[in-house]
Amino acid sequence: DAGVIQSPRHEVTEMGQEVTLRCKPISGHNSLFWYRQTMMRGLELLIYFNNNVPIDDSGMPEDRFSAKMPNASFSTLKIQPSEPRDSAVYFCASSFSSSNQPQHFGDGTRLSIL
Amino acid sequence: GQQVMQIPQYQHVQEGEDFTTYCNSSTTLSNIQWYKQRPGGHPVFLIQLVKSGEVKKQKRLTFQFGEAKKNSSLHITATQTTDVGTYFCAKGTGTASKLTFGTGTRLQVTL
């Protein structure tokens, strides 16, 4: 069975550029989560969706970050314009939407903003 | 949101020694999940604890949920080099699928 699929695996770009990260959740899962992981701040929840609807975006750092889920099998996280402090590993995870469900993580996108 | 604290932040053991990481919350937890992240990898679900005082075992790993449901622990008996990684606890809300991850404990095992 396919797990959560993220692309790209690595992205290196210059500050000011737009960055788009992509995620395909596990089929049948109706919750999708975007996390950011850094040494300083650990694993932070940025936003999560239930049934394609954003439920909690309180972790989104600022207006430069936006996330969409146009359908049950695809989500994007966009940073525009990007800054060096956005450099991190970004994980997407999915799960069933009821409580007490384990989350399944993708391999992550390692983002470097120069 | 309220962070879940884990101690220690880092531990270095020799292969064969035991290891324990603790997860503490100032509020009562509805449930606690544990994840392992290998270096360069992604978090992988290990187990979930729901009941007060619950103890679950997976081979050399023992997971406990405190009686007051405010803390949890993961104990590894006789560590192996394959145990290397960062162990996270994560608290659930009890009503939704959202989790808040702890600060993590990084385990290094040497021969």
Side-chain angles (χ1 to χ4, degrees):
Chain A
D1 288 342
V4 175
I5 299 172
Q6 290 187 247
S7 64
R9 288 295 309 276
H10 303 271
E11 173 103 9
V12 181
T13 192
E14 293 188 341
M15 66 176 292
Q17 298 297 308
E18 178 179 289
V19 173
T20 300
L21 310 181
R22 296 172 176 78
C23 176
K24 177 178 168 54
I26 291 173
S27 178
H29 282 182
N30 44 9
S31 286
L32 183 140
F33 308 84
W34 282 101
Y35 292 91
R36 178 172 67 178
Q37 186 173 41
T38 61
M39 286 294 292
M40 291 297 294
R41 301 174 69 91
L43 193 59
E44 305 172 274
L45 177 66
L46 301 177
I47 186 171
Y48 84 98
F49 296 82
N50 272 0
N51 297 313
N52 314 340
V53 176
I55 301 299
D56 182 352
D57 65 354
S58 58
M60 295 286 262
E62 47 198 273
D63 292 345
R64 297 184 298 106
F65 284 68
S66 62
K68 293 182 179 179
M69 192 163 184
N71 58 63
S73 58
F74 184 65
S75 177
T76 59
L77 178 67
K78 190 171 291 188
I79 308 173
Q80 167 64 19
S82 57
E83 296 183 5
R85 60 193 168 118
D86 301 331
S87 298
V89 180
Y90 290 81
F91 287 106
C92 175
S94 71
S95 75
F96 294 108
S97 59
S98 52
S99 64
N100 300 353
Q101 294 297 322
Q103 293 185 9
H104 300 261
F105 284 73
D107 288 336
T109 295
R110 187 170 297 273
L111 177 64
S112 296
I113 308 297
L114 306 176
Chain B
Q2 244 174 356
Q3 215 176 19
V4 180
M5 300 306 297
Q6 281 184 253
I7 53 171
Q9 274 191 307
Y10 171 75
Q11 187 149 12
H12 184 178
V13 300
Q14 290 206 311
E15 191 176 48
E17 293 181 336
D18 291 356
F19 160 77
T20 305
T21 172
Y22 300 90
C23 180
N24 298 303
S25 172
S26 57
T27 58
T28 302
L29 304 167
S30 61
N31 64 77
I32 195 94
Q33 296 183 10
W34 284 92
Y35 290 75
K36 176 184 178 181
Q37 183 177 19
R38 294 183 188 273
H42 58 270
V44 174
F45 173 78
L46 294 176
I47 209 157
Q48 176 168 258
L49 304 170
V50 178
K51 298 176 185 174
S52 167
E54 190 169 17
V55 178
K56 287 187 177 179
K57 293 192 176 186
Q58 287 180 352
K59 298 182 181 177
R60 295 178 294 103
L61 277 60
T62 302
F63 303 84
Q64 284 192 292
F65 204 3
E67 292 290 342
K69 298 183 74 172
K70 287 188 175 182
N71 55 71
S72 181
S73 65
L74 158 58
H75 179 83
I76 302 178
T77 304
T79 54
Q80 299 176 358
T81 54
T82 52
D83 296 324
V84 164
T86 301
Y87 292 85
F88 292 96
C89 63
K91 68 173 187 176
T93 66
T95 56
S97 51
K98 174 182 172 180
L99 295 173
T100 301
F101 278 79
T103 47
T105 296
R106 187 159 70 92
L107 172 64
Q108 180 63 34
V109 181
T110 50
L111 295 171

CSV table of all heavy atoms in Angstrom, one decimal, chain A residues 9 31 33 35 37 41 43 45 48 50 56 58 91 95-103 105-108 110, chain B residues 3 30-31 33 35 37 40-45 48 50 88 92-99 101-103 106:
chain,number,residue,atom,x,y,z
A,9,ARG,N,11.4,16.0,-2.7
A,9,ARG,CA,12.1,15.5,-1.5
A,9,ARG,C,13.1,16.5,-1.0
A,9,ARG,O,13.3,16.7,0.2
A,9,ARG,CB,12.9,14.2,-1.8
A,9,ARG,CG,12.0,13.0,-2.0
A,9,ARG,CD,11.3,12.6,-0.7
A,9,ARG,NE,12.1,12.5,0.4
A,9,ARG,CZ,12.8,11.4,0.8
A,9,ARG,NH1,12.8,10.3,0.0
A,9,ARG,NH2,13.6,11.4,1.8
A,31,SER,N,-8.1,13.2,7.3
A,31,SER,CA,-7.4,14.3,7.9
A,31,SER,C,-6.0,14.4,7.3
A,31,SER,O,-5.4,13.4,7.1
A,31,SER,CB,-7.3,14.0,9.4
A,31,SER,OG,-8.5,14.2,10.1
A,33,PHE,N,-2.3,16.8,7.6
A,33,PHE,CA,-1.6,17.7,8.5
A,33,PHE,C,-0.3,18.1,7.8
A,33,PHE,O,0.4,17.3,7.2
A,33,PHE,CB,-1.2,17.0,9.8
A,33,PHE,CG,-2.4,16.3,10.5
A,33,PHE,CD1,-2.8,15.0,10.1
A,33,PHE,CD2,-3.0,16.9,11.6
A,33,PHE,CE1,-3.8,14.4,10.8
A,33,PHE,CE2,-4.1,16.3,12.2
A,33,PHE,CZ,-4.5,15.0,11.8
A,35,TYR,N,3.4,19.7,8.9
A,35,TYR,CA,4.3,20.0,10.0
A,35,TYR,C,5.5,20.6,9.5
A,35,TYR,O,5.9,20.4,8.4
A,35,TYR,CB,4.6,18.8,10.8
A,35,TYR,CG,3.5,18.1,11.6
A,35,TYR,CD1,2.7,17.1,11.0
A,35,TYR,CD2,3.3,18.4,12.9
A,35,TYR,CE1,1.7,16.5,11.7
A,35,TYR,CE2,2.3,17.8,13.6
A,35,TYR,CZ,1.5,16.8,13.0
A,35,TYR,OH,0.6,16.2,13.8
A,37,GLN,N,9.6,20.9,10.8
A,37,GLN,CA,10.6,20.4,11.8
A,37,GLN,C,11.9,21.2,11.7
A,37,GLN,O,12.5,21.2,10.7
A,37,GLN,CB,10.8,18.9,11.7
A,37,GLN,CG,11.7,18.4,12.9
A,37,GLN,CD,11.7,16.9,12.8
A,37,GLN,OE1,11.9,16.2,11.8
A,37,GLN,NE2,11.6,16.2,14.0
A,41,ARG,N,13.0,24.5,17.0
A,41,ARG,CA,11.5,24.5,17.4
A,41,ARG,C,10.9,23.2,17.4
A,41,ARG,O,9.7,23.1,17.8
A,41,ARG,CB,10.8,25.5,16.5
A,41,ARG,CG,11.3,26.9,16.5
A,41,ARG,CD,10.6,27.8,15.4
A,41,ARG,NE,9.2,28.0,15.8
A,41,ARG,CZ,8.8,29.0,16.5
A,41,ARG,NH1,9.7,29.9,16.9
A,41,ARG,NH2,7.5,29.2,16.7
A,43,LEU,N,9.0,19.8,16.2
A,43,LEU,CA,8.0,19.4,15.3
A,43,LEU,C,6.7,20.2,15.5
A,43,LEU,O,6.1,20.1,16.6
A,43,LEU,CB,7.7,17.9,15.4
A,43,LEU,CG,6.9,17.2,14.3
A,43,LEU,CD1,7.6,17.3,13.0
A,43,LEU,CD2,6.7,15.8,14.7
A,45,LEU,N,3.0,21.8,14.3
A,45,LEU,CA,1.8,21.7,13.4
A,45,LEU,C,1.6,23.0,12.8
A,45,LEU,O,1.4,24.0,13.5
A,45,LEU,CB,0.6,21.2,14.2
A,45,LEU,CG,-0.7,21.1,13.4
A,45,LEU,CD1,-0.6,20.0,12.3
A,45,LEU,CD2,-1.8,20.8,14.3
A,48,TYR,N,-4.1,21.9,9.7
A,48,TYR,CA,-4.7,20.6,9.4
A,48,TYR,C,-6.1,20.7,8.8
A,48,TYR,O,-6.8,21.7,9.1
A,48,TYR,CB,-4.6,19.6,10.5
A,48,TYR,CG,-5.7,19.6,11.6
A,48,TYR,CD1,-6.8,18.7,11.5
A,48,TYR,CD2,-5.6,20.5,12.6
A,48,TYR,CE1,-7.7,18.7,12.4
A,48,TYR,CE2,-6.6,20.5,13.6
A,48,TYR,CZ,-7.7,19.6,13.5
A,48,TYR,OH,-8.6,19.5,14.5
A,50,ASN,N,-9.7,18.6,7.7
A,50,ASN,CA,-10.7,17.5,7.8
A,50,ASN,C,-11.6,17.5,6.6
A,50,ASN,O,-12.2,18.6,6.4
A,50,ASN,CB,-11.5,17.5,9.1
A,50,ASN,CG,-10.8,16.9,10.3
A,50,ASN,OD1,-9.7,16.4,10.2
A,50,ASN,ND2,-11.5,16.9,11.4
A,56,ASP,N,-7.7,24.1,11.6
A,56,ASP,CA,-6.9,24.8,12.5
A,56,ASP,C,-5.6,25.3,11.8
A,56,ASP,O,-4.8,24.4,11.4
A,56,ASP,CB,-6.5,23.9,13.7
A,56,ASP,CG,-5.7,24.7,14.8
A,56,ASP,OD1,-5.3,25.8,14.5
A,56,ASP,OD2,-5.5,24.1,15.9
A,58,SER,N,-3.7,27.8,13.1
A,58,SER,CA,-3.1,28.7,14.1
A,58,SER,C,-1.6,28.6,14.1
A,58,SER,O,-0.9,29.4,14.6
A,58,SER,CB,-3.7,28.4,15.5
A,58,SER,OG,-3.4,27.1,15.9
A,91,PHE,N,6.9,18.2,6.8
A,91,PHE,CA,6.2,16.9,6.7
A,91,PHE,C,4.7,17.0,6.5
A,91,PHE,O,4.1,17.9,7.1
A,91,PHE,CB,6.4,16.1,8.0
A,91,PHE,CG,7.8,15.5,8.2
A,91,PHE,CD1,8.6,16.1,9.2
A,91,PHE,CD2,8.3,14.4,7.5
A,91,PHE,CE1,9.9,15.6,9.4
A,91,PHE,CE2,9.5,13.9,7.7
A,91,PHE,CZ,10.4,14.6,8.6
A,95,SER,N,-4.4,10.8,8.4
A,95,SER,CA,-5.0,9.9,9.4
A,95,SER,C,-6.5,9.9,9.1
A,95,SER,O,-7.1,10.7,8.3
A,95,SER,CB,-4.7,10.3,10.8
A,95,SER,OG,-5.5,11.4,11.2
A,96,PHE,N,-7.2,8.9,9.8
A,96,PHE,CA,-8.7,9.0,9.8
A,96,PHE,C,-9.0,10.2,10.8
A,96,PHE,O,-8.2,10.6,11.6
A,96,PHE,CB,-9.3,7.7,10.3
A,96,PHE,CG,-9.0,6.6,9.4
A,96,PHE,CD1,-8.1,5.6,9.6
A,96,PHE,CD2,-9.7,6.5,8.1
A,96,PHE,CE1,-7.9,4.5,8.8
A,96,PHE,CE2,-9.5,5.5,7.2
A,96,PHE,CZ,-8.6,4.5,7.5
A,97,SER,N,-10.2,10.7,10.6
A,97,SER,CA,-10.5,12.0,11.3
A,97,SER,C,-11.0,11.8,12.7
A,97,SER,O,-11.2,12.8,13.5
A,97,SER,CB,-11.5,12.8,10.5
A,97,SER,OG,-12.7,12.1,10.3
A,98,SER,N,-11.3,10.6,13.2
A,98,SER,CA,-11.8,10.5,14.6
A,98,SER,C,-10.6,10.6,15.5
A,98,SER,O,-9.4,10.5,15.1
A,98,SER,CB,-12.5,9.1,14.7
A,98,SER,OG,-11.6,8.1,14.3
A,99,SER,N,-10.9,10.8,16.8
A,99,SER,CA,-9.8,10.9,17.7
A,99,SER,C,-9.1,9.6,18.0
A,99,SER,O,-9.6,8.6,17.6
A,99,SER,CB,-10.4,11.4,19.1
A,99,SER,OG,-11.2,10.5,19.6
A,100,ASN,N,-7.9,9.7,18.5
A,100,ASN,CA,-7.1,8.6,18.9
A,100,ASN,C,-6.6,7.8,17.6
A,100,ASN,O,-6.4,6.6,17.7
A,100,ASN,CB,-7.9,7.6,19.8
A,100,ASN,CG,-8.3,8.2,21.1
A,100,ASN,OD1,-7.9,9.3,21.4
A,100,ASN,ND2,-9.0,7.5,21.9
A,101,GLN,N,-6.5,8.5,16.5
A,101,GLN,CA,-6.0,7.8,15.3
A,101,GLN,C,-4.5,8.1,15.1
A,101,GLN,O,-4.0,9.2,15.3
A,101,GLN,CB,-6.7,8.3,14.1
A,101,GLN,CG,-8.2,7.9,14.1
A,101,GLN,CD,-8.4,6.4,14.1
A,101,GLN,OE1,-7.7,5.7,13.4
A,101,GLN,NE2,-9.4,6.0,14.8
A,102,PRO,N,-3.7,7.1,14.8
A,102,PRO,CA,-2.3,7.3,14.5
A,102,PRO,C,-2.1,8.1,13.2
A,102,PRO,O,-3.0,8.0,12.3
A,102,PRO,CB,-1.7,5.9,14.3
A,102,PRO,CG,-2.9,5.0,14.0
A,102,PRO,CD,-4.1,5.6,14.6
A,103,GLN,N,-1.1,8.9,13.2
A,103,GLN,CA,-0.8,9.7,12.0
A,103,GLN,C,0.3,9.0,11.2
A,103,GLN,O,1.3,8.5,11.7
A,103,GLN,CB,-0.4,11.1,12.3
A,103,GLN,CG,-1.6,11.9,12.9
A,103,GLN,CD,-1.3,13.3,13.2
A,103,GLN,OE1,-0.2,13.8,12.8
A,103,GLN,NE2,-2.2,14.0,13.9
A,105,PHE,N,3.2,9.6,8.3
A,105,PHE,CA,3.9,10.7,7.8
A,105,PHE,C,4.5,10.3,6.5
A,105,PHE,O,4.9,9.2,6.2
A,105,PHE,CB,5.1,11.0,8.8
A,105,PHE,CG,4.6,11.8,10.0
A,105,PHE,CD1,3.9,11.2,11.0
A,105,PHE,CD2,4.9,13.2,10.0
A,105,PHE,CE1,3.5,12.0,12.1
A,105,PHE,CE2,4.6,13.9,11.2
A,105,PHE,CZ,3.8,13.3,12.2
A,106,GLY,N,4.7,11.3,5.6
A,106,GLY,CA,5.5,11.2,4.4
A,106,GLY,C,6.9,11.3,4.7
A,106,GLY,O,7.3,11.6,5.9
A,107,ASP,N,7.8,11.2,3.7
A,107,ASP,CA,9.2,11.3,3.9
A,107,ASP,C,9.7,12.7,4.1
A,107,ASP,O,10.9,12.9,4.4
A,107,ASP,CB,9.9,10.6,2.6
A,107,ASP,CG,9.8,9.1,2.6
A,107,ASP,OD1,9.5,8.5,3.7
A,107,ASP,OD2,9.9,8.6,1.5
A,108,GLY,N,8.8,13.7,3.8
A,108,GLY,CA,9.2,15.1,4.1
A,108,GLY,C,9.9,15.7,2.9
A,108,GLY,O,10.4,15.1,2.0
A,110,ARG,N,12.9,18.5,2.3
A,110,ARG,CA,14.0,19.3,3.0
A,110,ARG,C,14.1,20.5,2.2
A,110,ARG,O,14.6,20.5,1.0
A,110,ARG,CB,15.2,18.4,3.0
A,110,ARG,CG,16.4,19.1,3.8
A,110,ARG,CD,17.5,18.1,4.0
A,110,ARG,NE,17.1,16.9,4.8
A,110,ARG,CZ,17.1,16.8,6.1
A,110,ARG,NH1,17.6,17.8,6.8
A,110,ARG,NH2,16.8,15.7,6.7
B,3,GLN,N,2.7,22.9,25.2
B,3,GLN,CA,3.7,22.0,24.7
B,3,GLN,C,3.8,20.8,25.7
B,3,GLN,O,3.5,21.0,26.9
B,3,GLN,CB,5.1,22.6,24.7
B,3,GLN,CG,5.9,22.1,23.5
B,3,GLN,CD,7.3,22.9,23.4
B,3,GLN,OE1,7.7,23.5,24.3
B,3,GLN,NE2,7.9,22.8,22.3
B,30,SER,N,-6.0,13.0,27.4
B,30,SER,CA,-7.1,12.1,27.0
B,30,SER,C,-6.4,10.8,26.4
B,30,SER,O,-6.9,9.7,26.6
B,30,SER,CB,-8.0,12.7,25.9
B,30,SER,OG,-7.2,13.0,24.8
B,31,ASN,N,-5.3,11.0,25.7
B,31,ASN,CA,-4.6,9.8,25.2
B,31,ASN,C,-3.2,10.3,24.9
B,31,ASN,O,-2.9,11.5,24.8
B,31,ASN,CB,-5.2,9.2,24.0
B,31,ASN,CG,-5.2,10.2,22.8
B,31,ASN,OD1,-4.2,10.4,22.1
B,31,ASN,ND2,-6.4,10.8,22.5
B,33,GLN,N,0.3,9.2,22.4
B,33,GLN,CA,0.8,8.3,21.3
B,33,GLN,C,2.4,8.5,21.4
B,33,GLN,O,2.9,9.5,21.8
B,33,GLN,CB,0.3,8.7,19.9
B,33,GLN,CG,-1.2,8.5,19.8
B,33,GLN,CD,-1.6,8.9,18.4
B,33,GLN,OE1,-0.8,9.1,17.4
B,33,GLN,NE2,-3.0,8.9,18.2
B,35,TYR,N,6.0,8.0,19.0
B,35,TYR,CA,6.5,7.9,17.6
B,35,TYR,C,8.0,7.8,17.7
B,35,TYR,O,8.6,8.3,18.7
B,35,TYR,CB,6.1,9.1,16.8
B,35,TYR,CG,4.7,9.2,16.4
B,35,TYR,CD1,3.7,9.6,17.4
B,35,TYR,CD2,4.2,8.9,15.1
B,35,TYR,CE1,2.4,9.7,17.1
B,35,TYR,CE2,2.9,9.0,14.8
B,35,TYR,CZ,2.0,9.4,15.8
B,35,TYR,OH,0.6,9.5,15.4
B,37,GLN,N,11.5,8.5,15.3
B,37,GLN,CA,12.0,9.0,14.1
B,37,GLN,C,13.5,8.7,13.9
B,37,GLN,O,14.3,9.1,14.7
B,37,GLN,CB,11.9,10.6,14.0
B,37,GLN,CG,12.3,11.2,12.8
B,37,GLN,CD,12.1,12.7,12.7
B,37,GLN,OE1,11.9,13.4,13.8
B,37,GLN,NE2,12.0,13.3,11.6
B,40,GLY,N,17.3,11.3,9.7
B,40,GLY,CA,17.0,11.5,8.3
B,40,GLY,C,15.7,10.9,7.9
B,40,GLY,O,15.3,11.0,6.7
B,41,GLY,N,14.9,10.4,8.8
B,41,GLY,CA,13.6,9.7,8.4
B,41,GLY,C,12.4,10.6,8.9
B,41,GLY,O,12.6,11.7,9.3
B,42,HIS,N,11.3,9.9,8.9
B,42,HIS,CA,10.1,10.6,9.4
B,42,HIS,C,9.5,9.9,10.6
B,42,HIS,O,9.8,8.7,10.8
B,42,HIS,CB,9.0,10.6,8.2
B,42,HIS,CG,8.7,9.2,7.7
B,42,HIS,ND1,9.3,8.6,6.7
B,42,HIS,CD2,7.7,8.4,8.2
B,42,HIS,CE1,8.8,7.4,6.5
B,42,HIS,NE2,7.8,7.3,7.4
B,43,PRO,N,8.7,10.6,11.4
B,43,PRO,CA,8.1,10.0,12.6
B,43,PRO,C,7.3,8.8,12.2
B,43,PRO,O,6.5,8.8,11.2
B,43,PRO,CB,7.3,11.1,13.2
B,43,PRO,CG,7.9,12.3,12.7
B,43,PRO,CD,8.4,12.0,11.3
B,44,VAL,N,7.4,7.7,12.9
B,44,VAL,CA,6.6,6.5,12.7
B,44,VAL,C,5.9,6.1,14.0
B,44,VAL,O,6.5,6.1,15.0
B,44,VAL,CB,7.6,5.3,12.3
B,44,VAL,CG1,6.8,4.0,12.2
B,44,VAL,CG2,8.2,5.6,10.9
B,45,PHE,N,4.6,5.9,13.9
B,45,PHE,CA,3.8,5.5,15.0
B,45,PHE,C,4.2,4.2,15.6
B,45,PHE,O,4.5,3.2,15.0
B,45,PHE,CB,2.3,5.4,14.5
B,45,PHE,CG,1.4,4.9,15.6
B,45,PHE,CD1,0.9,5.8,16.6
B,45,PHE,CD2,0.9,3.6,15.6
B,45,PHE,CE1,0.0,5.4,17.5
B,45,PHE,CE2,0.0,3.2,16.5
B,45,PHE,CZ,-0.5,4.1,17.5
B,48,GLN,N,-0.3,3.6,21.1
B,48,GLN,CA,-1.2,4.6,21.8
B,48,GLN,C,-1.6,4.1,23.1
B,48,GLN,O,-1.9,2.9,23.3
B,48,GLN,CB,-2.4,4.9,20.9
B,48,GLN,CG,-3.4,5.8,21.6
B,48,GLN,CD,-4.5,6.2,20.6
B,48,GLN,OE1,-4.4,7.4,20.1
B,48,GLN,NE2,-5.5,5.4,20.4
B,50,VAL,N,-4.4,4.9,26.3
B,50,VAL,CA,-5.6,5.6,26.5
B,50,VAL,C,-6.1,5.6,28.0
B,50,VAL,O,-6.6,6.5,28.5
B,50,VAL,CB,-6.8,5.1,25.6
B,50,VAL,CG1,-8.1,5.8,25.9
B,50,VAL,CG2,-6.4,5.2,24.2
B,88,PHE,N,9.3,10.6,20.2
B,88,PHE,CA,8.4,11.6,20.5
B,88,PHE,C,7.1,11.1,21.2
B,88,PHE,O,6.6,10.0,20.7
B,88,PHE,CB,7.9,12.3,19.3
B,88,PHE,CG,8.9,13.1,18.5
B,88,PHE,CD1,9.7,12.6,17.5
B,88,PHE,CD2,9.2,14.5,18.9
B,88,PHE,CE1,10.6,13.3,16.8
B,88,PHE,CE2,10.2,15.2,18.2
B,88,PHE,CZ,10.9,14.6,17.2
B,92,GLY,N,-3.2,13.8,22.3
B,92,GLY,CA,-4.4,14.0,21.5
B,92,GLY,C,-5.3,14.9,22.2
B,92,GLY,O,-5.2,15.2,23.3
B,93,THR,N,-6.4,15.3,21.4
B,93,THR,CA,-7.4,16.2,22.0
B,93,THR,C,-8.5,15.5,22.6
B,93,THR,O,-9.3,16.0,23.4
B,93,THR,CB,-7.9,17.2,20.9
B,93,THR,OG1,-8.6,16.4,20.0
B,93,THR,CG2,-6.8,17.9,20.2
B,94,GLY,N,-8.7,14.2,22.2
B,94,GLY,CA,-9.8,13.4,22.7
B,94,GLY,C,-11.0,13.6,21.8
B,94,GLY,O,-11.9,12.7,21.9
B,95,THR,N,-11.1,14.6,21.0
B,95,THR,CA,-12.3,14.8,20.2
B,95,THR,C,-12.0,14.9,18.7
B,95,THR,O,-12.9,14.8,17.9
B,95,THR,CB,-13.0,16.1,20.6
B,95,THR,OG1,-12.1,17.2,20.5
B,95,THR,CG2,-13.6,16.0,22.0
B,96,ALA,N,-10.7,15.1,18.4
B,96,ALA,CA,-10.4,15.3,17.0
B,96,ALA,C,-9.0,14.6,16.7
B,96,ALA,O,-8.4,14.0,17.6
B,96,ALA,CB,-10.2,16.8,16.7
B,97,SER,N,-8.6,14.6,15.5
B,97,SER,CA,-7.4,13.9,15.1
B,97,SER,C,-6.1,14.6,15.3
B,97,SER,O,-5.1,14.1,15.1
B,97,SER,CB,-7.5,13.5,13.6
B,97,SER,OG,-7.9,14.6,12.8
B,98,LYS,N,-6.2,15.9,15.7
B,98,LYS,CA,-5.0,16.7,15.9
B,98,LYS,C,-4.2,16.2,17.1
B,98,LYS,O,-4.7,15.7,18.1
B,98,LYS,CB,-5.5,18.1,16.2
B,98,LYS,CG,-4.3,19.1,16.6
B,98,LYS,CD,-4.9,20.5,16.9
B,98,LYS,CE,-3.8,21.4,17.5
B,98,LYS,NZ,-4.3,22.7,17.8
B,99,LEU,N,-2.8,16.2,16.9
B,99,LEU,CA,-1.9,15.9,17.9
B,99,LEU,C,-1.0,17.0,18.2
B,99,LEU,O,-0.7,17.8,17.3
B,99,LEU,CB,-1.0,14.7,17.5
B,99,LEU,CG,-1.7,13.3,17.2
B,99,LEU,CD1,-0.7,12.4,16.7
B,99,LEU,CD2,-2.3,12.8,18.5
B,101,PHE,N,2.9,17.4,19.5
B,101,PHE,CA,4.0,16.5,19.7
B,101,PHE,C,4.9,17.1,20.8
B,101,PHE,O,5.0,18.3,21.0
B,101,PHE,CB,4.9,16.4,18.4
B,101,PHE,CG,4.3,15.4,17.5
B,101,PHE,CD1,3.2,15.6,16.7
B,101,PHE,CD2,4.9,14.1,17.5
B,101,PHE,CE1,2.7,14.7,15.8
B,101,PHE,CE2,4.4,13.1,16.6
B,101,PHE,CZ,3.3,13.4,15.8
B,102,GLY,N,5.5,16.2,21.6
B,102,GLY,CA,6.5,16.6,22.6
B,102,GLY,C,7.8,17.1,22.0
B,102,GLY,O,8.0,17.0,20.8
B,103,THR,N,8.7,17.5,22.8
B,103,THR,CA,10.0,18.0,22.4
B,103,THR,C,10.9,17.0,21.9
B,103,THR,O,11.9,17.3,21.3
B,103,THR,CB,10.6,18.8,23.6
B,103,THR,OG1,10.5,18.0,24.8
B,103,THR,CG2,9.8,20.1,23.8
B,106,ARG,N,16.4,12.4,22.0
B,106,ARG,CA,17.3,11.8,21.0
B,106,ARG,C,18.1,10.7,21.7
B,106,ARG,O,18.8,11.0,22.7
B,106,ARG,CB,18.1,12.8,20.3
B,106,ARG,CG,19.0,12.3,19.2
B,106,ARG,CD,19.4,13.4,18.2
B,106,ARG,NE,20.4,14.3,18.8
B,106,ARG,CZ,21.7,14.1,18.7
B,106,ARG,NH1,22.2,13.1,18.0
B,106,ARG,NH2,22.5,15.0,19.2
